[in-house]
Amino acid sequence: MPHFPAPIESRLPNVGTTIFTVMSRLAQECGAINLSQGFPDFNAEDLLFERVAHWMRAGHNQYAPMAGTAALRAAIAAKVEALYGTAYDPEHEITVTAGATQALFTAVTACVHPGDEVIVFEPVYDSYVPAIELAGGKVVRMRLAAPDYRPDWDAVAAAIGPRTRMIMINTPHNPTATVWTRDDLDRLAALVRGTGIVVVADEVYEHIVFDGAAHASCAAHPALAQRSFVVSSFGKTYHITGWKVGYVLAPRELMAEFRKVHQFNVFTVNTPVQLALADYMADASRHLGLAAFYQAKRDFFRAALAASRFELLPSHGTYFQLARYAAISDLGDAAFCEHLTRDVGVAAIPVSAFFADGRDEHVIRFCFAKNEATLAAACARLAAL
C-alpha cells in the first residue's frame, strides 16, 4: 500500500467524515433502520426512468451545454414564474448543477474573497462552512435557539459590517424543519439594502411546506431576487437524490460569475437526465402535490410516536422531525444516537453535529422520507423506550 512521503498541510484541518456518512455506515453495520441520512427509501415514478432511457436511446449521450439543456432551463423558468411571479431568463439567469451542494459551493467560490465575512445560521448544514473556508472567507455564526429556531434579526444587524460579503440562508431549514416567513425575508431585505451583500438561498425543500403555508422564496421577493443565488434540488423534489441534479437562479451579473467557476468544477450535467426532467416537469402536480405527500408521512410518524417518551418539536417543512429525549436518557446526543443505532436498531442524527462548538441541546433529527412500513417498524422500536 503506497504512502505519501511528506507532511500534508490540510486546507480543511478540522473537517472529518460527515455525520451523515458516519451514521449511515453505522446503521448498515448494525442492521438498523436508517432514519438518519435524508433520502427516500422509495422510487420515483417509472415514467421518469422511461424518459431517461428514451433520451439515451435517442442518442443524447454527449455533453449538454455548460449551463444546462435549453429544454430544462425553459421548464425551470416556467415553473419559477408560475410559482413566484418572477421571470428569469433561461439563457443568462438559470444554470443546471450537479446537485444543490455543488451549486452552493460554486456560489461561494465565485463571490467570496479572502478575508470576506459570510453570515450563516446555526445549526448549519455541513457543506456551507467548508466552502467558505476554502474560499478564504471568515464564517460569522448566528444562532437559532431551540425549540423555535427563529432568527434574531437584531443580532444579524449587529453582525453585519464592512467585510460582510454574503449571507447564507436555508428555508425550509435542515435540520430544524422550521420555515421562514415573508416577514423574515422583509427583515433580511431591509438589512442588506444599499449594500453589496450577496444572499445565497438554499431552498431545496421549497415544495415541502406543511399545514397550508406557502414557501417564502427569495425568487418571489424583488429586493432579494436582485442579489440572490436561489438554489433548488430535483433530488429532493422527485425522490432521486442519487442523481445529483439541481439548479440555481440569479441575476445575470451574479450568474456570469457563477458560470466562470461552474464551467471548471463541473462543466456540465448528465444530458439524458436533464432532458427527462424537462419532460417530467410538464405536469406541475408532481411538485405541487409534494407538500401533501410528505405531510401525510409527517403526521403518520408523529402519531406513531405520540405516546412515546420523545418530545416531538414542530415540523413545519422539509422531511425531518426533531425530537428531545430528556425523558429517556441523559446521554449526549451523539452518544444517544449511537445507542439508538446499536441497541434499538434505529439511526438518527445528533443536532450537535450542526454546531461548530458541538452545542448539545439533547435534540436529534429523524428523517421520515420513508415508506410507512419502514416508519412503522422504526416507531415501534422507538416507542418501546
Short mmCIF file of all heavy atoms in Angstrom, two decimals, residues 93-156:
data_model
loop_
_atom_site.label_atom_id
_atom_site.label_comp_id
_atom_site.label_asym_id
_atom_site.label_seq_id
_atom_site.Cartn_x
_atom_site.Cartn_y
_atom_site.Cartn_z
N GLU A 93 -29.75 33.47 -16.70
CA GLU A 93 -30.04 33.56 -15.27
C GLU A 93 -30.41 32.23 -14.62
O GLU A 93 -30.80 32.21 -13.45
CB GLU A 93 -31.16 34.58 -15.04
CG GLU A 93 -30.76 35.98 -15.50
CD GLU A 93 -31.87 37.01 -15.36
OE1 GLU A 93 -33.06 36.63 -15.40
OE2 GLU A 93 -31.54 38.21 -15.23
N ILE A 94 -30.27 31.13 -15.35
CA ILE A 94 -30.56 29.80 -14.81
C ILE A 94 -29.43 28.87 -15.22
O ILE A 94 -29.06 28.82 -16.39
CB ILE A 94 -31.90 29.25 -15.34
CG1 ILE A 94 -33.06 30.15 -14.91
CG2 ILE A 94 -32.13 27.82 -14.86
CD1 ILE A 94 -34.39 29.78 -15.53
N THR A 95 -28.90 28.11 -14.25
CA THR A 95 -27.85 27.13 -14.53
C THR A 95 -28.20 25.82 -13.84
O THR A 95 -28.58 25.81 -12.66
CB THR A 95 -26.47 27.61 -14.05
OG1 THR A 95 -26.14 28.83 -14.72
CG2 THR A 95 -25.39 26.58 -14.32
N VAL A 96 -28.09 24.75 -14.58
CA VAL A 96 -28.32 23.40 -14.03
C VAL A 96 -27.01 22.92 -13.42
O VAL A 96 -25.94 23.05 -14.01
CB VAL A 96 -28.79 22.44 -15.14
CG1 VAL A 96 -29.01 21.03 -14.58
CG2 VAL A 96 -30.07 22.96 -15.78
N THR A 97 -27.11 22.35 -12.22
CA THR A 97 -25.91 21.98 -11.46
C THR A 97 -25.92 20.51 -11.09
O THR A 97 -26.95 19.83 -11.16
CB THR A 97 -25.83 22.82 -10.17
OG1 THR A 97 -26.98 22.56 -9.36
CG2 THR A 97 -25.75 24.31 -10.49
N ALA A 98 -24.77 20.04 -10.66
CA ALA A 98 -24.63 18.65 -10.21
C ALA A 98 -25.06 18.56 -8.75
O ALA A 98 -24.28 18.32 -7.83
CB ALA A 98 -23.19 18.18 -10.38
N GLY A 99 -26.34 18.79 -8.53
CA GLY A 99 -26.90 18.80 -7.19
C GLY A 99 -26.80 20.17 -6.55
O GLY A 99 -26.11 21.07 -7.02
N ALA A 100 -27.51 20.32 -5.43
CA ALA A 100 -27.53 21.61 -4.73
C ALA A 100 -26.20 21.90 -4.05
O ALA A 100 -25.79 23.07 -3.97
CB ALA A 100 -28.66 21.62 -3.71
N THR A 101 -25.52 20.88 -3.55
CA THR A 101 -24.25 21.11 -2.86
C THR A 101 -23.24 21.77 -3.79
O THR A 101 -22.52 22.69 -3.40
CB THR A 101 -23.69 19.81 -2.29
OG1 THR A 101 -24.63 19.26 -1.36
CG2 THR A 101 -22.37 20.04 -1.56
N GLN A 102 -23.19 21.32 -5.03
CA GLN A 102 -22.28 21.95 -5.99
C GLN A 102 -22.69 23.38 -6.28
O GLN A 102 -21.85 24.28 -6.40
CB GLN A 102 -22.24 21.16 -7.30
CG GLN A 102 -21.25 21.73 -8.32
CD GLN A 102 -21.93 22.37 -9.52
OE1 GLN A 102 -22.86 21.81 -10.08
NE2 GLN A 102 -21.46 23.55 -9.93
N ALA A 103 -24.00 23.62 -6.34
CA ALA A 103 -24.47 24.99 -6.58
C ALA A 103 -24.05 25.91 -5.44
O ALA A 103 -23.58 27.03 -5.67
CB ALA A 103 -25.98 24.99 -6.74
N LEU A 104 -24.21 25.46 -4.21
CA LEU A 104 -23.83 26.27 -3.05
C LEU A 104 -22.33 26.53 -3.04
O LEU A 104 -21.88 27.66 -2.82
CB LEU A 104 -24.26 25.54 -1.77
CG LEU A 104 -25.77 25.36 -1.58
CD1 LEU A 104 -26.05 24.33 -0.50
CD2 LEU A 104 -26.44 26.69 -1.24
N PHE A 105 -21.55 25.48 -3.27
CA PHE A 105 -20.09 25.63 -3.28
C PHE A 105 -19.65 26.60 -4.36
O PHE A 105 -18.79 27.46 -4.14
CB PHE A 105 -19.44 24.26 -3.49
CG PHE A 105 -17.94 24.29 -3.45
CD1 PHE A 105 -17.26 24.10 -2.26
CD2 PHE A 105 -17.20 24.51 -4.61
CE1 PHE A 105 -15.87 24.13 -2.22
CE2 PHE A 105 -15.82 24.56 -4.58
CZ PHE A 105 -15.15 24.36 -3.37
N THR A 106 -20.24 26.48 -5.53
CA THR A 106 -19.86 27.33 -6.65
C THR A 106 -20.23 28.79 -6.39
O THR A 106 -19.45 29.71 -6.71
CB THR A 106 -20.50 26.83 -7.94
OG1 THR A 106 -20.09 25.47 -8.17
CG2 THR A 106 -20.10 27.68 -9.14
N ALA A 107 -21.40 29.03 -5.80
CA ALA A 107 -21.80 30.40 -5.49
C ALA A 107 -20.83 31.05 -4.51
O ALA A 107 -20.43 32.21 -4.67
CB ALA A 107 -23.21 30.42 -4.93
N VAL A 108 -20.43 30.30 -3.49
CA VAL A 108 -19.47 30.82 -2.52
C VAL A 108 -18.13 31.08 -3.19
O VAL A 108 -17.53 32.16 -3.03
CB VAL A 108 -19.31 29.84 -1.34
CG1 VAL A 108 -18.17 30.27 -0.43
CG2 VAL A 108 -20.61 29.76 -0.54
N THR A 109 -17.65 30.12 -3.94
CA THR A 109 -16.34 30.24 -4.59
C THR A 109 -16.31 31.43 -5.56
O THR A 109 -15.29 32.11 -5.70
CB THR A 109 -16.00 28.95 -5.34
OG1 THR A 109 -16.09 27.84 -4.44
CG2 THR A 109 -14.61 29.00 -5.92
N ALA A 110 -17.43 31.67 -6.22
CA ALA A 110 -17.48 32.74 -7.22
C ALA A 110 -17.47 34.13 -6.60
O ALA A 110 -17.04 35.08 -7.26
CB ALA A 110 -18.73 32.57 -8.08
N CYS A 111 -17.93 34.25 -5.35
CA CYS A 111 -18.16 35.59 -4.79
C CYS A 111 -17.32 35.94 -3.57
O CYS A 111 -17.14 37.13 -3.28
CB CYS A 111 -19.64 35.75 -4.43
SG CYS A 111 -20.75 35.72 -5.84
N VAL A 112 -16.84 34.96 -2.85
CA VAL A 112 -16.16 35.23 -1.58
C VAL A 112 -14.65 35.30 -1.80
O VAL A 112 -14.05 34.37 -2.36
CB VAL A 112 -16.49 34.15 -0.53
CG1 VAL A 112 -15.68 34.37 0.75
CG2 VAL A 112 -17.99 34.17 -0.22
N HIS A 113 -14.05 36.40 -1.35
CA HIS A 113 -12.62 36.61 -1.45
C HIS A 113 -11.98 36.41 -0.07
O HIS A 113 -12.66 36.51 0.96
CB HIS A 113 -12.33 38.02 -1.96
CG HIS A 113 -12.83 38.29 -3.34
ND1 HIS A 113 -12.03 38.25 -4.45
CD2 HIS A 113 -14.08 38.58 -3.80
CE1 HIS A 113 -12.75 38.52 -5.53
NE2 HIS A 113 -13.99 38.73 -5.15
N PRO A 114 -10.67 36.15 -0.03
CA PRO A 114 -10.01 36.01 1.28
C PRO A 114 -10.27 37.20 2.18
O PRO A 114 -10.15 38.36 1.76
CB PRO A 114 -8.53 35.90 0.89
CG PRO A 114 -8.54 35.27 -0.47
CD PRO A 114 -9.75 35.87 -1.15
N GLY A 115 -10.68 36.90 3.39
CA GLY A 115 -10.97 37.96 4.37
C GLY A 115 -12.42 38.40 4.40
O GLY A 115 -12.83 39.09 5.35
N ASP A 116 -13.20 38.05 3.38
CA ASP A 116 -14.62 38.40 3.39
C ASP A 116 -15.35 37.63 4.50
O ASP A 116 -15.00 36.48 4.81
CB ASP A 116 -15.28 38.05 2.06
CG ASP A 116 -14.93 39.01 0.95
OD1 ASP A 116 -14.36 40.08 1.25
OD2 ASP A 116 -15.22 38.70 -0.22
N GLU A 117 -16.37 38.23 5.06
CA GLU A 117 -17.18 37.58 6.08
C GLU A 117 -18.48 37.05 5.47
O GLU A 117 -19.09 37.71 4.63
CB GLU A 117 -17.50 38.55 7.22
CG GLU A 117 -16.25 38.98 8.00
CD GLU A 117 -16.57 39.93 9.13
OE1 GLU A 117 -17.75 40.35 9.27
OE2 GLU A 117 -15.63 40.28 9.89
N VAL A 118 -18.85 35.86 5.92
CA VAL A 118 -20.09 35.24 5.45
C VAL A 118 -20.91 34.84 6.67
O VAL A 118 -20.45 34.09 7.53
CB VAL A 118 -19.80 34.00 4.58
CG1 VAL A 118 -21.12 33.38 4.11
CG2 VAL A 118 -18.93 34.37 3.39
N ILE A 119 -22.13 35.34 6.74
CA ILE A 119 -23.02 35.02 7.85
C ILE A 119 -23.79 33.74 7.54
O ILE A 119 -24.37 33.59 6.45
CB ILE A 119 -24.00 36.19 8.10
CG1 ILE A 119 -23.23 37.41 8.62
CG2 ILE A 119 -25.10 35.78 9.08
CD1 ILE A 119 -24.08 38.66 8.77
N VAL A 120 -23.78 32.80 8.49
CA VAL A 120 -24.57 31.58 8.40
C VAL A 120 -25.39 31.44 9.68
O VAL A 120 -25.10 32.08 10.69
CB VAL A 120 -23.69 30.33 8.19
CG1 VAL A 120 -22.83 30.46 6.93
CG2 VAL A 120 -22.80 30.06 9.41
N PHE A 121 -26.41 30.59 9.62
CA PHE A 121 -27.29 30.39 10.77
C PHE A 121 -27.12 28.97 11.30
O PHE A 121 -27.30 27.99 10.56
CB PHE A 121 -28.75 30.64 10.36
CG PHE A 121 -29.03 32.08 10.01
CD1 PHE A 121 -28.76 32.57 8.74
CD2 PHE A 121 -29.54 32.95 10.96
CE1 PHE A 121 -29.00 33.89 8.41
CE2 PHE A 121 -29.79 34.28 10.64
CZ PHE A 121 -29.52 34.76 9.38
N GLU A 122 -26.74 28.87 12.57
CA GLU A 122 -26.56 27.57 13.22
C GLU A 122 -27.82 27.19 13.99
O GLU A 122 -28.43 28.06 14.64
CB GLU A 122 -25.39 27.61 14.20
CG GLU A 122 -24.03 27.51 13.58
CD GLU A 122 -22.95 27.26 14.63
OE1 GLU A 122 -23.05 27.85 15.73
OE2 GLU A 122 -22.03 26.48 14.34
N PRO A 123 -28.19 25.87 13.95
CA PRO A 123 -27.47 24.76 13.35
C PRO A 123 -27.44 24.88 11.83
O PRO A 123 -28.45 25.15 11.20
CB PRO A 123 -28.26 23.54 13.80
CG PRO A 123 -29.63 24.05 14.12
CD PRO A 123 -29.44 25.43 14.63
N VAL A 124 -26.23 24.68 11.27
CA VAL A 124 -26.00 24.95 9.86
C VAL A 124 -25.65 23.67 9.12
O VAL A 124 -24.90 22.82 9.62
CB VAL A 124 -24.87 26.00 9.69
CG1 VAL A 124 -23.56 25.52 10.28
CG2 VAL A 124 -24.68 26.39 8.23
N TYR A 125 -26.24 23.52 7.92
CA TYR A 125 -25.93 22.36 7.08
C TYR A 125 -24.44 22.28 6.83
O TYR A 125 -23.77 23.30 6.63
CB TYR A 125 -26.70 22.44 5.76
CG TYR A 125 -26.55 21.21 4.91
CD1 TYR A 125 -27.09 20.00 5.30
CD2 TYR A 125 -25.84 21.26 3.71
CE1 TYR A 125 -26.94 18.86 4.53
CE2 TYR A 125 -25.69 20.12 2.93
CZ TYR A 125 -26.23 18.92 3.36
OH TYR A 125 -26.06 17.80 2.59
N ASP A 126 -23.90 21.07 6.82
CA ASP A 126 -22.45 20.91 6.98
C ASP A 126 -21.60 21.31 5.78
O ASP A 126 -20.38 21.43 5.91
CB ASP A 126 -22.11 19.47 7.40
CG ASP A 126 -22.41 18.44 6.33
OD1 ASP A 126 -23.05 18.77 5.32
OD2 ASP A 126 -22.01 17.28 6.52
N SER A 127 -22.19 21.57 4.62
CA SER A 127 -21.36 21.92 3.45
C SER A 127 -21.04 23.41 3.38
O SER A 127 -20.12 23.81 2.65
CB SER A 127 -22.04 21.49 2.15
OG SER A 127 -23.09 22.38 1.80
N TYR A 128 -21.76 24.25 4.12
CA TYR A 128 -21.59 25.70 3.97
C TYR A 128 -20.21 26.16 4.44
O TYR A 128 -19.49 26.88 3.73
CB TYR A 128 -22.63 26.47 4.77
CG TYR A 128 -24.07 26.29 4.39
CD1 TYR A 128 -24.48 25.39 3.41
CD2 TYR A 128 -25.05 27.02 5.04
CE1 TYR A 128 -25.83 25.23 3.10
CE2 TYR A 128 -26.40 26.88 4.73
CZ TYR A 128 -26.78 25.98 3.76
OH TYR A 128 -28.10 25.84 3.46
N VAL A 129 -19.86 25.78 5.66
CA VAL A 129 -18.63 26.31 6.28
C VAL A 129 -17.38 25.88 5.52
O VAL A 129 -16.50 26.72 5.26
CB VAL A 129 -18.57 25.91 7.77
CG1 VAL A 129 -17.20 26.23 8.36
CG2 VAL A 129 -19.67 26.65 8.54
N PRO A 130 -17.22 24.61 5.12
CA PRO A 130 -16.03 24.26 4.34
C PRO A 130 -15.89 25.05 3.05
O PRO A 130 -14.78 25.42 2.67
CB PRO A 130 -16.21 22.76 4.07
CG PRO A 130 -17.06 22.27 5.19
CD PRO A 130 -18.00 23.40 5.48
N ALA A 131 -17.00 25.32 2.38
CA ALA A 131 -16.93 26.11 1.15
C ALA A 131 -16.40 27.51 1.44
O ALA A 131 -15.56 28.04 0.70
CB ALA A 131 -18.32 26.19 0.50
N ILE A 132 -16.90 28.11 2.52
CA ILE A 132 -16.45 29.45 2.89
C ILE A 132 -14.97 29.45 3.24
O ILE A 132 -14.20 30.32 2.79
CB ILE A 132 -17.28 29.98 4.08
CG1 ILE A 132 -18.75 30.13 3.68
CG2 ILE A 132 -16.73 31.31 4.59
CD1 ILE A 132 -19.70 30.24 4.86
N GLU A 133 -14.55 28.47 4.01
CA GLU A 133 -13.15 28.41 4.45
C GLU A 133 -12.21 28.15 3.28
O GLU A 133 -11.11 28.72 3.22
CB GLU A 133 -13.00 27.34 5.53
CG GLU A 133 -13.70 27.73 6.83
CD GLU A 133 -13.59 26.67 7.91
OE1 GLU A 133 -13.28 25.51 7.58
OE2 GLU A 133 -13.82 27.01 9.08
N LEU A 134 -12.62 27.31 2.33
CA LEU A 134 -11.77 27.07 1.17
C LEU A 134 -11.61 28.32 0.32
O LEU A 134 -10.59 28.51 -0.34
CB LEU A 134 -12.35 25.93 0.32
CG LEU A 134 -12.16 24.52 0.89
CD1 LEU A 134 -12.97 23.51 0.08
CD2 LEU A 134 -10.69 24.12 0.90
N ALA A 135 -12.60 29.19 0.35
CA ALA A 135 -12.51 30.46 -0.38
C ALA A 135 -11.71 31.52 0.37
O ALA A 135 -11.50 32.61 -0.15
CB ALA A 135 -13.91 30.98 -0.69
N GLY A 136 -11.31 31.20 1.61
CA GLY A 136 -10.57 32.16 2.42
C GLY A 136 -11.45 33.10 3.20
O GLY A 136 -10.96 34.09 3.77
N GLY A 137 -12.75 32.81 3.23
CA GLY A 137 -13.68 33.66 3.96
C GLY A 137 -13.70 33.37 5.44
O GLY A 137 -13.21 32.34 5.91
N LYS A 138 -14.29 34.27 6.18
CA LYS A 138 -14.47 34.12 7.63
C LYS A 138 -15.94 33.86 7.92
O LYS A 138 -16.80 34.60 7.49
CB LYS A 138 -14.01 35.39 8.37
CG LYS A 138 -14.23 35.32 9.87
CD LYS A 138 -13.88 36.63 10.56
CE LYS A 138 -14.19 36.58 12.05
NZ LYS A 138 -13.93 37.88 12.72
N VAL A 139 -16.21 32.80 8.66
CA VAL A 139 -17.58 32.41 8.98
C VAL A 139 -18.05 33.20 10.21
O VAL A 139 -17.37 33.25 11.23
CB VAL A 139 -17.68 30.91 9.27
CG1 VAL A 139 -19.11 30.52 9.61
CG2 VAL A 139 -17.17 30.10 8.08
N VAL A 140 -19.22 33.81 10.09
CA VAL A 140 -19.86 34.51 11.20
C VAL A 140 -21.15 33.77 11.50
O VAL A 140 -22.06 33.72 10.65
CB VAL A 140 -20.14 35.99 10.86
CG1 VAL A 140 -20.85 36.68 12.02
CG2 VAL A 140 -18.85 36.71 10.51
N ARG A 141 -21.25 33.19 12.69
CA ARG A 141 -22.38 32.31 13.02
C ARG A 141 -23.46 33.04 13.81
O ARG A 141 -23.16 33.67 14.82
CB ARG A 141 -21.88 31.10 13.81
CG ARG A 141 -20.96 30.18 13.01
CD ARG A 141 -20.37 29.09 13.87
NE ARG A 141 -19.69 28.09 13.07
CZ ARG A 141 -18.44 28.19 12.64
NH1 ARG A 141 -17.73 29.27 12.96
NH2 ARG A 141 -17.89 27.25 11.90
N MET A 142 -24.68 32.92 13.34
CA MET A 142 -25.86 33.40 14.06
C MET A 142 -26.60 32.18 14.60
O MET A 142 -26.89 31.25 13.83
CB MET A 142 -26.79 34.18 13.12
CG MET A 142 -26.19 35.44 12.51
SD MET A 142 -26.08 36.80 13.72
CE MET A 142 -24.36 36.69 14.18
N ARG A 143 -26.92 32.19 15.88
CA ARG A 143 -27.52 31.00 16.48
C ARG A 143 -29.04 31.04 16.40
O ARG A 143 -29.69 32.03 16.72
CB ARG A 143 -27.08 30.88 17.94
CG ARG A 143 -27.71 29.69 18.68
CD ARG A 143 -26.87 29.29 19.86
NE ARG A 143 -25.59 28.75 19.43
CZ ARG A 143 -24.56 28.52 20.25
NH1 ARG A 143 -24.66 28.80 21.53
NH2 ARG A 143 -23.44 28.02 19.77
N LEU A 144 -29.60 29.92 15.95
CA LEU A 144 -31.03 29.68 16.01
C LEU A 144 -31.27 28.80 17.24
O LEU A 144 -30.82 27.67 17.30
CB LEU A 144 -31.51 28.95 14.75
CG LEU A 144 -31.20 29.63 13.40
CD1 LEU A 144 -31.59 28.72 12.24
CD2 LEU A 144 -31.92 30.97 13.30
N ALA A 145 -31.97 29.33 18.23
CA ALA A 145 -32.07 28.66 19.52
C ALA A 145 -33.29 27.76 19.58
O ALA A 145 -34.38 28.12 19.12
CB ALA A 145 -32.12 29.69 20.64
N ALA A 146 -33.11 26.58 20.17
CA ALA A 146 -34.22 25.65 20.41
C ALA A 146 -35.17 26.27 21.43
O ALA A 146 -34.75 27.06 22.28
CB ALA A 146 -33.67 24.33 20.93
N PRO A 147 -36.46 25.93 21.38
CA PRO A 147 -37.07 24.98 20.45
C PRO A 147 -37.64 25.62 19.18
O PRO A 147 -38.07 24.91 18.28
CB PRO A 147 -38.21 24.38 21.28
CG PRO A 147 -38.66 25.53 22.13
CD PRO A 147 -37.40 26.31 22.46
N ASP A 148 -37.65 26.96 19.11
CA ASP A 148 -38.31 27.63 17.97
C ASP A 148 -37.39 27.82 16.78
O ASP A 148 -37.85 27.88 15.64
CB ASP A 148 -38.85 28.99 18.41
CG ASP A 148 -39.94 28.88 19.46
OD1 ASP A 148 -40.69 27.89 19.42
OD2 ASP A 148 -40.02 29.75 20.34
N TYR A 149 -36.09 27.98 17.03
CA TYR A 149 -35.09 28.14 15.97
C TYR A 149 -35.43 29.29 15.03
O TYR A 149 -35.33 29.19 13.81
CB TYR A 149 -34.93 26.84 15.19
CG TYR A 149 -34.44 25.68 16.01
CD1 TYR A 149 -35.31 24.66 16.41
CD2 TYR A 149 -33.11 25.58 16.41
CE1 TYR A 149 -34.86 23.59 17.18
CE2 TYR A 149 -32.65 24.52 17.17
CZ TYR A 149 -33.53 23.53 17.55
OH TYR A 149 -33.10 22.47 18.31
N ARG A 150 -35.81 30.44 15.59
CA ARG A 150 -36.13 31.62 14.81
C ARG A 150 -34.93 32.55 14.74
O ARG A 150 -34.17 32.68 15.70
CB ARG A 150 -37.30 32.39 15.43
CG ARG A 150 -38.58 31.59 15.61
CD ARG A 150 -39.09 31.04 14.30
NE ARG A 150 -39.26 32.09 13.30
CZ ARG A 150 -39.41 31.86 11.99
NH1 ARG A 150 -39.37 30.63 11.52
NH2 ARG A 150 -39.56 32.86 11.15
N PRO A 151 -34.72 33.23 13.62
CA PRO A 151 -33.60 34.17 13.52
C PRO A 151 -33.80 35.40 14.40
O PRO A 151 -34.91 35.92 14.51
CB PRO A 151 -33.57 34.54 12.03
CG PRO A 151 -34.96 34.26 11.54
CD PRO A 151 -35.48 33.12 12.35
N ASP A 152 -32.72 35.85 15.02
CA ASP A 152 -32.72 37.09 15.81
C ASP A 152 -32.21 38.20 14.89
O ASP A 152 -30.99 38.37 14.70
CB ASP A 152 -31.81 36.92 17.03
CG ASP A 152 -31.76 38.16 17.90
OD1 ASP A 152 -32.11 39.25 17.42
OD2 ASP A 152 -31.32 38.05 19.06
N TRP A 153 -33.12 38.96 14.31
CA TRP A 153 -32.73 39.92 13.29
C TRP A 153 -31.93 41.08 13.86
O TRP A 153 -31.11 41.67 13.15
CB TRP A 153 -33.95 40.40 12.52
CG TRP A 153 -34.51 39.30 11.66
CD1 TRP A 153 -35.70 38.65 11.80
CD2 TRP A 153 -33.86 38.69 10.55
NE1 TRP A 153 -35.82 37.67 10.85
CE2 TRP A 153 -34.71 37.67 10.06
CE3 TRP A 153 -32.63 38.89 9.92
CZ2 TRP A 153 -34.38 36.87 8.98
CZ3 TRP A 153 -32.30 38.09 8.84
CH2 TRP A 153 -33.17 37.11 8.38
N ASP A 154 -32.14 41.40 15.12
CA ASP A 154 -31.31 42.45 15.74
C ASP A 154 -29.86 41.98 15.84
O ASP A 154 -28.92 42.77 15.61
CB ASP A 154 -31.85 42.80 17.13
CG ASP A 154 -33.19 43.53 17.06
OD1 ASP A 154 -33.47 44.15 16.02
OD2 ASP A 154 -33.95 43.46 18.05
N ALA A 155 -29.66 40.71 16.18
CA ALA A 155 -28.31 40.16 16.25
C ALA A 155 -27.67 40.11 14.86
O ALA A 155 -26.47 40.38 14.71
CB ALA A 155 -28.33 38.76 16.87
N VAL A 156 -28.46 39.79 13.85
CA VAL A 156 -27.93 39.78 12.48
C VAL A 156 -27.50 41.19 12.08
O VAL A 156 -26.42 41.38 11.50
CB VAL A 156 -28.98 39.22 11.50
CG1 VAL A 156 -28.45 39.29 10.06
CG2 VAL A 156 -29.33 37.78 11.85
#
